[in-house]
C-alpha cells in the first residue's frame, strides 16, 4: 500500500481520535451539567437562580430575613454577593457543602475599579485611552479579588452616557460607542484573564443591559425611550464588544426601555442577547429589579414579576426573592415550562463547572495566597502608573506646570488635600481587615515628591459643601507666603455613583469663591478638580492658572498627582465625555447630527439650531486634553481616494513632538459620511492611536479604513455602508482637527 495513502489514513484516524476526545471533553462539561441537573428537585433548581446579599454590606435596599443558613443547607441559594474574604467565603461554602447535592455557591462583588489596590474610577481610567493600562488594571483587580475568595465581579459597566447629571457616569467609559467598546473588551479580558477557571480569573458581568445611561433627565433608574436604531448604533455596541471578548455573564438594568422594564424585556435578553448574539452565559437581574417591575406598573405582583423575568431571559434573581417565592407555583400552574427553568439552571451550573468549583469548592480559599495578593507592591506600582495616565491637563497658562521640585514654598489648600478615603471614589470594596490608610493622600504625595529645600504650607480653606467662609483668611495668609498655590477642590466621593444624580453639577459649596479670593494674592493657582463626572466650573476654567482633572484616582492618588504636577509624568489623558458650559446644554455630545439649520458658531443665531442665550459648544470637548509638550501633525496621506466596499484605504500621518518634554499623544481619527439614508453625525471616532514621542521625535502612524468603519444601521436595522463621499479628520480632539481629507465609497 503506497506510503502516502497510509499516512493519509493515519492522520485521519488521529484527527478522529483527537476530535472525538475534544468533542468528548466539550461534551463532558455539558454532560456534567446535565448529570447534576437530572438529580435536582424543582426546589433545588430554583435555588440556583436565587442570589442573596450577605449580611456584610449592602449595595441596595436590603430585605431583612433570616434562615439564610437553612436555605443554603437546603440548596435554595445559588450565589451570595457582598461576601468577601477567604475566611467569610469559606464559611459560607462550608454551609453549601452540607446541602444534598453539594452544589457550590458563587460569590460576586462589585470589583469595579480595584479590590484592595484601588484604581481610578472607570471614567477616569477611560480618559487614559490606554487599553493596555485599562486591561492591566482589571487584571490586578481580578488577581486580588479571586485571591480573596471571589469568583465574579459585577463589572465592567459599559453604559454609554451623555448626561453628567447621572451619577453613574463615573462607572463607565463616557459618551462614545467606539471608545466604549474597546474599553469594555479590555476590561472583560482583564477580569477573565486567559481562561475562566484560572486561579486569578473572575467572571465578568457586563452591565447594565441596556441603555441605562440614557435615563430621562439624568435621574437614576428613570425611563429610557429611544429608537431601536439609536439603541443598536449607540448603546448596544459596548455590550456586543464585551460579549465578543468572552464575557461570562450579563446584568440587566433597572430602567424601562420603550415602556418595557429591561428585566422583563425579551427583545433585549432573548431576541438580541441569547438569540442574535448567541450568548451562552447567564443573566443576573440587578438588585431587586424583578420585584421592581411591580413599581414600574408592568406586572401586578411578585408572581407575575417572576413569570415576566424568567420568560424574558433573566436567569438569576438578585435579592428580590420572587423566583424563590413564585417559580415553583408558576411551573405547577403550567405558566412556566420546566424547560425554561432548566435552561437558566444549566447556564448557572455551566459557569460553576467552568470555574472548577465542582472539582474544588474551596479553590479560591487560600489565606496565604490572599495575603500575598493583597500586599503586592507591583499592584501598587501599576495603580500609580494608571492613575497618572488618567489625569487630564485642562489648562496650563504660562506653562506654570510642571512645577520644580525645588519650588521654595508651596501652599497646598482645599478640603481634599488631606482627604484619604475620598480618593477611592464610589464603588470601592470594604475589604475585611484593610483600612483606607493604605491610600496615599494628595498631601502625602506632595511630601513624598518635593525636595528638602521646599516647604509645603497647608490650609483647608473651606468644606466641600456649605457656605462657611471662615477658613478663607487663613488660606489667603498661607497663599501669600507661597510661590505657587495648589488648590484641591471638587465633590465628595459619594456625590457620584449609584443614586447620585445631581440637577446642579457645579463645584459645590464656596470652593470657587475660595479660588476667587486666592487669586487676589497674585500667586499662580493650580487647581485639582476631584470628581466622578464632568462638572460645570466656568469661573475656575476662565481664571485658574492651571487645571488638572484628577477624578478619583484610588490608592496611589497622591503619588500620581505629584508625578504629574512635577513633571515625572507628562499628562496625556483625553476627555471621554463632553464637558458642558451649563446644565442647560445637556445632553451634549460631539457626534451629533447636523440638522436642517446647523449652528456652526455662536455668532449667527438667526433661524438656526443655536441657543439664544448660551453657546452650543462644550467647555471642553470629547477627546480634549493638553500636554506639557506640543505635537504637530503633518503629511496626511491616503492610499486611495475611491474604494469599493471590498477594499480599504491605508491612511498615514506624521506626528512630531516639537516641545521640550517627552510625551504621549492620542491621535484621533474621525469620519463624516456626508450623505446617508439615515442622517449621519458631523463626525464619529473611528480609530485612535496613543503614541509616545521623545522631545524632537517624529513618527508616522497608519490607520486602515474599511467597510466596517463606514457602516451604520439603516432604517431596517441592517448594518450597511452606503456609497458616497466621506470626510476624514485627524486631530488631537474632536474639535482640534489638525488635518483633513476626503474619499469616496463607489459601490
Ligand atoms: C446595584 C447596582 C449594580 C450592582 C448591584 C450589586 O444596585 O445597580 O450595578 O452590581 O446592585 O451591588
Amino acid at each position: 500500500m503506497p506510503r502516502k495513502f497510509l499516512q493519509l489514513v493515519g492522520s485521519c484516524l488521529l484527527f478522529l481520535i483527537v476530535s472525538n476526545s475534544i468533542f468528548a471533553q466539550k461534551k463532558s462539561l455539558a454532560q456534567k451539567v446535565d448529570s447534576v441537573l437530572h438529580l435536582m428537585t424543582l426546589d433545588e433548581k430554583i435555588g440556583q437562580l436565587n442570589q442573596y446579599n450577605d449580611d456584610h454590606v449592602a449595595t441596595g435596599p436590603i430585605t431583612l430575613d433570616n434562615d439564610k443558613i437553612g436555605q443554603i443547607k437546603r440548596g435554595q441559594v445559588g450565589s451570595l454577593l457582598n461576601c468577601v474574604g477567604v475566611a467569610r467565603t469559606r464559611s459560607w461554602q462550608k454551609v453549601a457543602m452540607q446541602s444534598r447535592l453539594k452544589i457550590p455557591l458563587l460569590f460576586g462583588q462589585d470589583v469595579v475599579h480595584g479590590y484592595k489596590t484601588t484604581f481610578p474610577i472607570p471614567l477616569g481610567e477611560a480618559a487614559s485611552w490606554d487599553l493596555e493600562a485599562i486591561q492591566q488594571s482589571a487584571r490586578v483587580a481580578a488577581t486580588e479579588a479571586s485571591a480573596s475568595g471571589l469568583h465574579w465581579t459585577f463589572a465592567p459597566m459599559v453604559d454609554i452616557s451623555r448626561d453628567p447629571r447621572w451619577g453613574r457616569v463615573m462607572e463607565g467609559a463616557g459618551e462614545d460607542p467606539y471608545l466604549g467598546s474597546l474599553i469594555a473588551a479590555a476590561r472583560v479580558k482583564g477580569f477573565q484573564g486567559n481562561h475562566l477557571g484560572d486561579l486569578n480569573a473572575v467572571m465578568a458581568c457586563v452591565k447594565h443591559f441596556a441603555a441605562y445611561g440614557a435615563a430621562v433627565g439624568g435621574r437614576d433608574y428613570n425611563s429610557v425611550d429611544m429608537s431601536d436604531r439609536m439603541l443598536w448604533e449607540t448603546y448596544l455596541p459596548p455590550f456586543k464588544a464585551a460579549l465578543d471578548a468572552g464575557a461570562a455573564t450579563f446584568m440587566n438594568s433597572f430602567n424601562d426601555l420603550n415602556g418595557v422594564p429591561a428585566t422583563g424585556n425579551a427583545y433585549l435578553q432573548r431576541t438580541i442577547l441569547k438569540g442574535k448574539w448567541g450568548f451562552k452565559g447567564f443573566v443576573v437581574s440587578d438588585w431587586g429589579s424583578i420585584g421592581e417591575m411591580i413599581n414600574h406598573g408592568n406586572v401586578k405582583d411578585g408572581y407575575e414579576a417572576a413569570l415576566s423575568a424568567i420568560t424574558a431571559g433573566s436567569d438569576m434573581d438578585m435579592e428580590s426573592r420572587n423566583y424563590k417565592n413564585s417559580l415553583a407555583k408558576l411551573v405547577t400552574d403550567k405558566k412556566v415550562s420546566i424547560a425554561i427553568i432548566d435552561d437558566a439552571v444549566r447556564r448557572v451550573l455551566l459557569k460553576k463547572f467552568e470555574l472548577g468549583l465542582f472539582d474544588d469548592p474551596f479553590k479560591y480559599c487560600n489565606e496565604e495566597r490572599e495575603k500575598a495578593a493583597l500586599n503586592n507592591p507591583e499592584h501598587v506600582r501599576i495603580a500609580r502608573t494608571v492613575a497618572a495616565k488618567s489625569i487630564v491637563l485642562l489648562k496650563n497658562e504660562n506653562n506654570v506646570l510642571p512645577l520644580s521640585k525645588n519650588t521654595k514654598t508651596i501652599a497646598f489648600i482645599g478640603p481634599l488635600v488631606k482627604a484619604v478615603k475620598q480618593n477611592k471614589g464610589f464603588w470601592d470594596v470594604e475589604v475585611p481587615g484593610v483600612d483606607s490608610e493604605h491610600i496615599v493622600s494628595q498631601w502625602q504625595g506632595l511630601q513624598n515628591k518635593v525636595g528638602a529645600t521646599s516647604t509645603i504650607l497647608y490650609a483647608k480653606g473651606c468644606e466641600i459643601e456649605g457656605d462657611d467662609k471662615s477658613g478663607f483668611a487663613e488660606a489667603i495668609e498661607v497663599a501669600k507666603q507661597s510661590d505657587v498655590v495648589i488648590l484641591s477642590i471638587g465633590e465628595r466621593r459619594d456625590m457620584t455613583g449609584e443614586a447620585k444624580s445631581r440637577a446642579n453639577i457645579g463645584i459645590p459649596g464656596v470652593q470657587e469663591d475660595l479660588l476667587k479670593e486666592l487669586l487676589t494674592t497674585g500667586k499662580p493657582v493650580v487647581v485639582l478638580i476631584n470628581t466622578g463626572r464632568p462638572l460645570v466650573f466656568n469661573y475656575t476654567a476662565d481664571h485658574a492658572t492651571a487645571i488638572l482633572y484628577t477624578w478619583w484616582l484610588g490608592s496611589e492618588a497622591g503619588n500620581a498627582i505629584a508625578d504629574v504636577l512635577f513633571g515625572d509624568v507628562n499628562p496625556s489623558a483625553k476627555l471621554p465625555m463632553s464637558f458642558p458650559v451649563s446644565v442647560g446644554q445637556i445632553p451634549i455630545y460631539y457626534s451629533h447630527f447636523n440638522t436642517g439649520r446647523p449652528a456652526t458658531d455662536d455668532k449667527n443665531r438667526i433661524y438656526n439650531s443655536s441657543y439664544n442665550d448660551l453657546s452650543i459648544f462644550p467647555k471642553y470637548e470629547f477627546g480634549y486634553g493638553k500636554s506639557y509638550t506640543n505635537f504637530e501633525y503633518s503629511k496626511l496621506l491616503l492610499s486611495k481616494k475611491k474604494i469599493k466596499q471590498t477594499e480599504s484605504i491605508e491612511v498615514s500621518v506624521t506626528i512630531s513632538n516639537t516641545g521640550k518634554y517627552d510625551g504621549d499623544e492620542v491621535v484621533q481619527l474621525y469620519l463624516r459620511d456626508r450623505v446617508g439614508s439615515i442622517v449621519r453625525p458631523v463626525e464619529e471616532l473611528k480609530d485612535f492611536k496613543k503614541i509616545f514621542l521623545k522631545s524632537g521625535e517624529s513618527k508616522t502612524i497608519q490607520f486602515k479604513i474599511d467597510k466596517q468603519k463606514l457602516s451604520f444601521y439603516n432604517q431596517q436595522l441592517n448594518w450597511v455602508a452606503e456609497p458616497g463621499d466621506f470626510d476624514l479628520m485627524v486631530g488631537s480632539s474632536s474639535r482640534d482637527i489638525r488635518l483633513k481629507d476626503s474619499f469616496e465609497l463607489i459601490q
Side-chain angles (χ1 to χ4, degrees):
M1 190 147 335
R3 219 162 84 84
K4 277 245 184 277
F5 177 72
L6 283 173
Q7 274 176 342
L8 181 66
V9 168
S11 52
C12 288
L13 272 175
L14 184 67
F15 170 75
L16 282 172
I17 291 164
V18 168
S19 59
N20 184 37
S21 69
I22 291 174
F23 180 64
Q25 208 177 2
K26 261 222 180 345
K27 203 163 148 264
S28 70
L29 256 191
Q31 244 182 353
K32 284 179 182 175
V33 166
D34 278 341
S35 63
V36 174
L37 191 72
H38 294 144
L39 298 175
M40 296 170 78
T41 64
L42 176 60
D43 191 43
E44 288 165 333
K45 290 178 180 178
I46 293 167
Q48 288 304 302
L49 310 183
N50 186 29
Q51 180 188 57
Y52 286 147
N53 188 56
D54 187 7
D55 308 325
H56 190 46
V57 287
T59 48
I62 52 173
T63 307
L64 284 176
D65 60 8
N66 50 24
D67 190 25
K68 268 195 192 97
I69 293 179
Q71 290 183 57
I72 292 173
K73 280 180 182 171
R74 292 189 295 275
Q76 293 170 331
V77 183
S79 170
L80 292 177
L81 74 145
N82 289 324
C83 165
V84 297
V86 164
R88 193 159 182 86
T89 53
R90 174 188 282 119
S91 69
W92 279 118
Q93 199 68 289
K94 280 182 176 171
V95 175
M97 290 306 110
Q98 296 169 43
S99 65
R100 187 176 74 90
L101 294 174
K102 300 182 180 2
I103 298 175
L105 292 167
L106 274 178
F107 297 113
Q109 177 70 33
D110 297 281
V111 183
V112 175
H113 54 110
Y115 182 67
K116 177 196 171 190
T117 309
T118 316
F119 285 81
I121 55 165
L123 188 65
E125 258 188 14
S128 73
W129 294 50
D130 186 328
L131 301 175
E132 267 178 47
I134 290 169
Q135 183 167 333
Q136 201 178 28
S137 158
R139 188 86 293 279
V140 168
T143 302
E144 293 188 355
S146 56
S148 213
L150 289 170
H151 310 128
W152 183 21
T153 178
F154 305 127
M157 184 272 219
V158 304
D159 301 307
I160 294 291
S161 178
R162 296 163 163 181
D163 188 335
R165 293 172 295 182
W166 188 49
R168 300 196 78 163
V169 291
M170 56 74 61
E171 277 179 78
E175 71 181 63
D176 184 75
Y178 179 80
L179 178 62
S181 297
L182 292 173
I183 290 175
R187 284 178 170 150
V188 167
K189 289 171 190 161
F191 287 129
Q192 298 192 166
N194 299 324
H195 174 262
L196 267 192
D198 288 349
L199 260 187
N200 62 5
V202 293
M203 292 199 296
C205 183
V206 196
K207 67 187 189 183
H208 303 80
F209 196 60
Y212 181 30
V216 169
R219 283 179 25 223
D220 208 351
Y221 317 119
N222 208 356
S223 294
V224 171
D225 206 279
M226 66 175 67
S227 67
D228 283 354
R229 216 199 55 72
M230 172 63 85
L231 176 70
W232 278 92
E233 185 150 287
T234 301
Y235 292 85
L236 290 181
F239 288 97
K240 183 63 168 56
L243 184 143
D244 292 344
T249 67
F250 268 57
M251 180 185 290
N252 54 40
S253 56
F254 290 118
N255 57 287
D256 63 86
L257 174 62
N258 301 332
V260 180
T263 306
N265 197 309
Y267 176 60
L268 285 176
Q269 297 173 121
R270 294 261 183 233
T271 308
I272 298 174
L273 183 61
K274 296 177 178 178
K276 196 172 177 63
W277 290 355
F279 178 58
K280 301 296 179 224
F282 69 86
V283 177
V284 63
S285 68
D286 200 342
W287 186 296
S289 66
I290 292 176
E292 289 175 9
M293 290 199 281
I294 301 166
N295 299 339
H296 277 286
N298 186 245
V299 295
K300 189 173 63 174
D301 55 24
Y303 179 85
E304 284 190 4
L307 170 60
S308 170
I310 195 74
T311 308
S314 184
D315 300 301
M316 185 181 279
D317 172 4
M318 180 190 287
E319 265 293 318
S320 94
R321 293 156 172 77
N322 285 290
Y323 281 7
K324 168 179 168 287
N325 296 337
S326 299
L327 274 188
K329 189 170 182 330
L330 283 161
V331 172
T332 46
D333 293 352
K334 301 199 182 316
K335 295 282 182 67
V336 170
S337 70
I338 195 61
I340 282 200
I341 304 285
D342 285 354
D343 174 65
V345 177
R346 274 197 185 90
R347 290 170 181 268
V348 173
L349 292 179
L350 179 62
K351 292 306 164 196
K352 293 185 176 183
F353 272 110
E354 285 178 7
L355 287 168
L357 292 174
F358 276 96
D359 297 334
D360 175 5
F362 302 97
K363 75 180 268 192
Y364 292 79
C365 299
N366 177 322
E367 274 83 356
E368 290 67 46
R369 194 164 84 87
E370 180 179 45
K371 193 163 180 292
L374 300 194
N375 297 284
N376 183 336
E378 179 60 8
H379 294 176
V380 175
R381 187 196 65 75
I382 293 168
R384 178 170 181 167
T385 303
V386 176
K389 288 179 174 201
S390 305
I391 296 170
V392 187
L393 177 62
L394 296 180
K395 185 178 183 182
N396 190 18
E397 227 159 52
N398 316 321
N399 292 319
V400 66
L401 293 178
L403 301 175
S404 158
K405 289 170 190 159
N406 300 315
T407 303
K408 192 168 174 308
T409 309
I410 297 170
F412 203 176
I413 296 170
L416 287 159
V417 172
K418 294 196 172 180
V420 177
K421 204 165 174 180
Q422 291 293 335
N423 292 295
K424 293 178 86 175
F426 201 82
W427 288 119
D428 66 308
V429 181
E430 293 288 341
V431 181
V434 173
D435 61 23
S436 55
E437 289 317 306
H438 71 283
I439 296 169
V440 180
S441 71
Q442 298 173 24
W443 175 255
Q444 190 54 54
L446 237 70
Q447 301 289 349
N448 296 342
K449 182 66 74 178
V450 295
T453 59
S454 296
T455 303
I456 307 177
L457 305 174
Y458 168 72
K460 191 171 192 177
C462 66
E463 298 302 332
I464 291 171
E465 289 180 289
D467 55 7
D468 178 4
K469 298 186 178 183
S470 59
F472 280 23
E474 179 201 15
I476 290 163
E477 275 317 301
V478 161
K480 282 178 178 170
Q481 299 167 51
S482 74
D483 301 300
V484 63
V485 176
I486 302 172
L487 175 64
S488 184
I489 56 177
E491 292 182 314
R492 270 196 333 272
R493 74 179 184 122
D494 64 356
M495 294 175 88
T496 49
E498 183 177 353
K500 306 297 179 194
S501 296
R502 289 180 66 202
N504 161 18
I505 52 172
I507 294 182
V510 295
Q511 299 177 87
E512 284 200 287
D513 297 333
L514 175 59
L515 169 62
K516 268 183 202 140
E517 292 303 313
L518 292 172
L519 288 168
T520 62
T521 65
K523 306 289 181 181
V525 182
V526 176
V527 179
L528 311 180
I529 299 182
N530 309 270
T531 176
R533 59 161 44 100
L535 291 172
V536 170
F537 49 95
N538 296 311
Y539 181 82
T540 300
D542 298 339
H543 297 88
T545 316
I547 303 171
L548 291 175
Y549 219 71
T550 53
W551 313 102
W552 296 116
L553 293 170
S555 301
E556 282 292 290
N559 285 332
I561 289 170
D563 287 341
V564 170
L565 279 170
F566 291 90
D568 288 337
V569 173
N570 183 354
S572 60
K574 301 281 185 179
L575 297 177
M577 271 185 90
S578 306
F579 278 44
V581 165
S582 154
V583 166
Q585 290 180 321
I586 296 173
I588 183 166
Y589 49 96
Y590 83 94
S591 55
H592 59 81
F593 292 155
N594 202 35
T595 78
R597 296 193 178 184
T600 50
D601 59 39
D602 283 337
K603 298 183 189 68
N604 166 25
R605 291 184 167 161
I606 310 298
Y607 292 119
N608 66 23
S609 172
S610 59
Y611 295 113
N612 281 204
D613 58 349
L614 190 68
S615 168
I616 57 166
F617 298 106
K619 191 69 182 177
Y620 300 105
E621 70 271 16
F622 173 82
Y624 173 85
K626 295 173 68 69
S627 168
Y628 292 151
T629 192
N630 299 305
F631 296 101
E632 271 179 22
Y633 289 52
S634 62
K635 302 191 190 92
L636 174 61
L637 299 171
L638 275 60
S639 61
K640 294 183 187 110
K641 300 285 277 181
K642 288 180 186 292
I643 53 166
K644 297 175 189 159
Q645 303 250 357
T646 53
E647 296 174 329
S648 59
I649 297 176
E650 306 300 322
V651 179
S652 70
V653 60
T654 299
I655 313 297
S656 306
N657 180 344
T658 55
K660 62 180 189 174
Y661 293 96
D662 300 349
D664 292 278
E665 169 67 331
V666 180
V667 182
Q668 301 156 47
L669 184 141
Y670 295 90
L671 291 182
R672 175 178 188 175
D673 184 349
R674 288 189 204 157
V675 177
S677 58
I678 296 283
V679 292
R680 309 304 309 133
V682 294
E683 57 179 329
E684 289 177 279
L685 180 71
K686 291 294 183 184
D687 208 334
F688 66 87
K689 281 195 172 51
K690 184 162 192 176
I691 58 170
F692 174 78
L693 289 172
K694 296 184 77 57
S695 171
E697 186 183 11
S698 292
K699 275 181 192 166
T700 298
I701 58 175
Q702 272 77 31
F703 296 104
K704 182 176 179 181
I705 305 291
D706 59 12
K707 179 180 174 185
Q708 174 68 11
K709 292 191 186 299
L710 308 181
S711 298
F712 63 94
Y713 285 101
N714 66 10
Q715 200 70 44
Q716 292 71 39
L717 286 184
N718 298 320
W719 181 248
V720 296
E722 295 176 350
D725 295 324
F726 289 79
D727 293 324
L728 181 144
M729 297 153 272
V730 179
S732 190
S733 85
S734 57
R735 288 188 73 194
D736 182 5
I737 298 300
R738 304 290 181 83
L739 299 168
K740 285 184 180 180
D741 204 329
S742 60
F743 61 90
E744 184 186 356
L745 176 67
I746 49 179
Q747 64 184 30

